Amino acid sequence: MTTNIKICGLSTPETVAAAVEAGASHVGFVHFEPSPRHVTLEQAASLRADLPAGVKAVLLLVNADIETTAKAIETVRPDVIQFHGKETPEWIALVREKTGVETWRAIGVRSAETLEKSARYKGAVDRLLFDAPPPEAAGALPGGNGVGFDWTLLARHDHAVAWGLAGGLNPDNVAEAIRATGAPLVDASSGLESAPGVKDVDRIAAFCHAARSARET
């Protein structure tokens, strides 16, 4: 089985091209001003325009209001909207119904109980993205913090919704993560950077190679 690969937090044509060349199935653009990976909607639209057929553009939003969400979809025309805040199943289902855009919801996994509660998104989202929970410090980012969580929780979980794995993934641990969880999709961002928000094209290539090779060993 092939593992899909999402490279998130891209902000330049060079890093988008590197992800595509390395075999990423999805590339992610973060529209959230506090993030060092933030891009404007216009920047995201420009980067999205150069994607070849077969590579999906994912636009990440955090607690965006109705107007911002509508403008984001109209401007960027993403293949996927990834919600990474406190969005409810009802809100996400409404966005999907009104726009027809594929929807993902990132969830910070603290325990097996978190996974059980995630079943409430069944029928509301196309995919759940299991991530490390954000630090509890004030002003902490909801994702992209370079930390992981206990993968064995996923290995024992009976998934009711299509899913993917994020949180602290990098070229050195992604193969182990795939073998431990059976993840059908892996998502990396800060683990591929030389500095916050600065993607390293060599690390992007190494990550994709390791992810593709994981099921062959």
Side-chain angles (χ1 to χ4, degrees):
M1 182 173 64
T2 301
T3 302
N4 287 322
I5 302 168
K6 174 172 170 266
I7 307 298
C8 197
L10 297 173
S11 59
T12 67
E14 293 76 18
T15 53
V16 171
V20 171
E21 183 177 351
S25 57
H26 298 73
V27 295
F29 309 119
V30 176
H31 184 64
F32 181 55
E33 289 190 6
S35 172
R37 301 161 194 97
H38 169 71
V39 293
T40 67
L41 294 179
E42 291 71 24
Q43 288 172 318
S46 177
L47 295 169
R48 189 260 182 277
D50 292 331
L51 289 180
V55 178
K56 290 189 175 183
V58 182
L59 182 64
L60 188 154
L61 300 177
V62 180
N63 299 325
D65 59 24
I66 294 173
E67 291 77 12
T68 300
T69 302
K71 181 180 179 182
I73 293 172
E74 180 181 1
T75 303
V76 181
R77 300 193 179 281
D79 299 294
V80 181
I81 290 284
Q82 178 180 321
F83 295 99
H84 215 301
K86 298 181 179 179
E87 299 87 358
T88 64
E90 294 77 15
W91 162 248
I92 298 174
L94 180 63
V95 172
R96 185 171 67 165
E97 176 187 348
K98 296 298 185 183
T99 67
V101 178
E102 184 177 338
T103 55
W104 296 4
R105 174 68 157 90
I107 293 179
V109 178
R110 297 186 184 278
S111 65
E113 183 179 5
T114 304
L115 294 175
E116 295 302 324
K117 289 182 176 179
S118 71
R120 69 194 183 106
Y121 286 93
K122 183 177 181 180
V125 302
D126 294 287
R127 186 183 300 271
L128 292 173
L129 192 62
F130 295 118
D131 200 351
E136 296 183 353
L141 293 174
N145 296 297
V147 294
F149 64 95
D150 183 1
W151 296 331
T152 63
L153 294 171
L154 292 175
R156 298 192 297 265
H157 183 62
D158 183 14
H159 296 279
V161 183
W163 63 285
L165 175 63
L169 297 179
N170 59 56
D172 298 323
N173 67 11
V174 66
E176 178 188 357
I178 292 170
R179 290 193 289 266
T181 66
L185 178 143
V186 288
D187 182 349
S189 185
S190 59
L192 308 180
E193 294 177 346
S194 57
V198 181
K199 290 291 183 293
D200 183 301
V201 296
D202 292 331
R203 290 184 68 79
I204 290 173
F207 181 85
C208 291
H209 175 74
R212 290 197 310 272
S213 303
R215 298 182 188 272
E216 299 173 2
T217 58

